[in-house]
Amino acid sequence: MKRRKFIGLGTLAGVAAGTAPSLAARIPLHTPQNETRYQKGQSPWPICLDTVTIRPASLREKVQIAATAGYDAIEPWDRELAEFEKEGGNLKELGKEIKDLGLFVPSVIGLWNAFPPTQVAFEESLKDTRNRMRMAADIQSQHIQTIPNTVGENYDQKYVSQKYRELIEIGLNEFGINPALVFVKFFPLKTLGQATGIALDANHPKAMIIPDTFHMHISEGGFEGLKFLNGDLIAIFQFADAPASPEIGALGDKHRVYPGDGILPLPEILKTLKSTGYKGCVSLELYNPEYWKQDLQEVANTGLRKTMAVINKAGV
C-alpha cells in the first residue's frame, strides 16, 4: 500500500491577565527537521478538548473555554450542534468563530446508529447520518466519529465493513468529511483489533479508526497492538487516564480521570503513538461528573496542563 505500512502493510475579550496561556501556545512551530510542533514546541500533536469534558457549558461557552485555556482544537458532539441550530444558531458562522479563535475541529461525535444490521434499516438510517455529516461539515470538521452501537451481537464483519466503506464514500463525496470508526467496550465492537479489522476489510484508502486509551484499557484489548499501526490509519487519539479502583470490570466512562492521575502507562503509549508517525490530535475526553461540578475553565486548564505533563514525561 502506498498510504500505509499497516501490520507490515478574535482573542477573547475580558480574559483576566495570567488566566490564559498566550495565543502563541496554539501556533504550530516548525523544528529544523521540519516536524510541526504545538504548545510552544512541547508537543508533536495538536491538543484537543472533547466538549464532554466540560459538559454543563453551552457550546459557544465551550469554544471560548477551550480557546482561553490554550487548546489547539475542539471536538463537539452532534447533539450540541443540533441544539445550537434549534436555538437559532448558524453552524457555518460558529465554524468561522472557532477558526478566528485559533482553533480547529478535527472530529465531531458522531454517527450514532450508523450500522443497523439489515440493508433496509441501513438505508432508513441514512437520513439522520447525512444530517449529522452536514452539521459536522458546517463547522469545518475533518472527521466524524462512526459509532458501532447498533452492529448487533455476533455482527457480520464483512457486512459492517461494506457499510463503513459506503459511509466513507458518502462523507467524502457529499460533505467533504471523513468518517472514522470508533470502538467502545459497551458496544459489540469493543476493541482496537476489532475496529482495525473492520477498517482493513473496508478496503478504502480513507478508512480510519479512533483509538481511546480508556476503552483500550477497559475492553481489555490492551495497548500492544498500537505499535503495529501506521499513524495514517488514526483519525484522532482520545486521551484519558483510568483509576486503580473500582476493578476494571466495573469501570465506566464516569471514572475517567485527568492524564497522570491514574494507572495507565500513558507516557509509554505516547512513545508508541509517536513511533507510528501519527500527526493528528490528542483529544482530552473526560466524562467525570465530579469535574462537571467544578469551575469549568479551571477543569479545561487543568486538563491541558496535565496532558502536557504526560507528553513531556514521554519525551516525544
Side-chain angles (χ1 to χ4, degrees):
M1 284 193 176
K2 295 180 180 178
R3 180 171 161 268
R4 301 186 193 130
K5 53 176 186 287
F6 180 146
I7 314 185
L9 295 151
T11 303
L12 292 173
V15 176
T19 299
S22 164
L23 180 62
R26 302 192 297 276
I27 297 176
L29 303 176
H30 295 272
T31 68
Q33 295 77 28
N34 294 318
E35 178 191 40
T36 302
R37 307 272 307 178
Y38 300 83
Q39 297 293 317
K40 295 184 179 179
Q42 296 181 79
S43 174
W45 309 289
I47 308 303
C48 179
L49 180 65
D50 185 313
T51 57
V52 73
T53 304
I54 49 173
R55 177 171 281 174
S58 70
L59 180 54
R60 184 166 267 125
E61 288 169 340
K62 290 170 179 174
V63 171
Q64 294 179 341
I65 287 169
T68 301
Y71 287 85
D72 301 290
I74 188 165
E75 186 180 21
W77 288 54
D78 66 300
R79 61 173 174 260
E80 295 176 308
L81 303 184
E83 182 179 354
F84 185 83
E85 281 195 321
K86 185 177 180 181
E87 294 175 351
N90 184 303
L91 289 175
K92 291 184 178 180
E93 291 178 1
L94 179 64
K96 183 178 184 303
E97 290 177 27
I98 290 170
K99 185 176 180 180
D100 288 346
L101 287 169
L103 301 169
F104 67 96
V105 184
S107 172
V108 165
I109 308 161
L111 296 183
W112 302 91
N113 310 319
F115 294 117
T118 68
Q119 181 63 28
V120 171
F122 177 76
E123 291 174 1
E124 291 174 347
S125 74
L126 289 178
K127 180 179 178 180
D128 287 340
T129 290
R130 283 188 165 97
N131 187 52
R132 290 182 171 109
M133 288 183 178
R134 188 270 309 167
M135 291 190 296
D138 279 353
I139 61 168
Q140 303 177 45
S141 180
Q142 299 169 346
H143 302 93
I144 188 163
Q145 297 199 16
T146 309
I147 302 166
N149 59 313
T150 55
V151 294
E153 298 295 337
N154 302 312
Y155 60 87
D156 181 335
Q157 181 164 324
K158 182 178 180 180
Y159 170 82
V160 176
S161 296
Q162 289 173 340
K163 296 304 112 179
Y164 176 44
R165 181 184 176 88
E166 290 179 34
L167 293 176
I168 296 171
E169 287 291 304
I170 292 170
L172 293 174
N173 295 331
E174 298 183 24
F175 301 97
I177 193 168
N178 194 167
L181 185 63
V182 300
F183 55 93
V184 178
K185 180 210 173 158
F186 310 114
F187 301 151
L189 204 160
K190 302 176 183 297
T191 68
L192 175 67
Q194 290 169 336
T196 298
I198 296 294
L200 283 180
D201 286 353
N203 194 32
H204 194 288
K206 293 295 185 180
M208 304 181 85
I209 62 169
I210 300 179
D212 180 322
T213 57
F214 192 80
H215 282 287
M216 292 167 80
H217 173 60
I218 67 173
S219 70
E220 301 187 71
F223 305 106
E224 287 298 313
L226 187 62
K227 68 186 178 185
F228 297 111
L229 305 186
N230 182 283
D232 288 348
L233 183 70
I234 301 171
I236 190 168
F237 195 78
Q238 304 292 152
F239 204 55
D241 214 331
S245 62
E247 63 181 5
I248 191 169
L251 287 173
D253 277 317
K254 68 180 181 180
H255 295 112
R256 290 174 182 253
V257 295
Y258 290 120
D261 284 5
I263 62 169
L264 300 188
L266 296 180
E268 293 304 316
I269 292 169
L270 292 182
K271 288 178 184 178
T272 301
L273 184 66
K274 183 69 159 55
S275 74
T276 70
Y278 175 64
K279 303 294 186 184
C281 281
V282 168
S283 185
L284 181 69
E285 183 178 45
L286 305 174
Y287 296 73
N288 195 315
E290 294 303 311
Y291 297 158
W292 297 339
K293 300 173 185 176
Q294 300 170 22
D295 179 274
L296 297 178
Q297 184 66 64
E298 185 56 33
V299 170
N301 294 349
T302 301
L304 180 57
R305 175 172 55 81
K306 287 181 176 284
T307 297
M308 289 309 305
V310 173
I311 289 174
N312 287 330
K313 187 175 181 179
V316 293

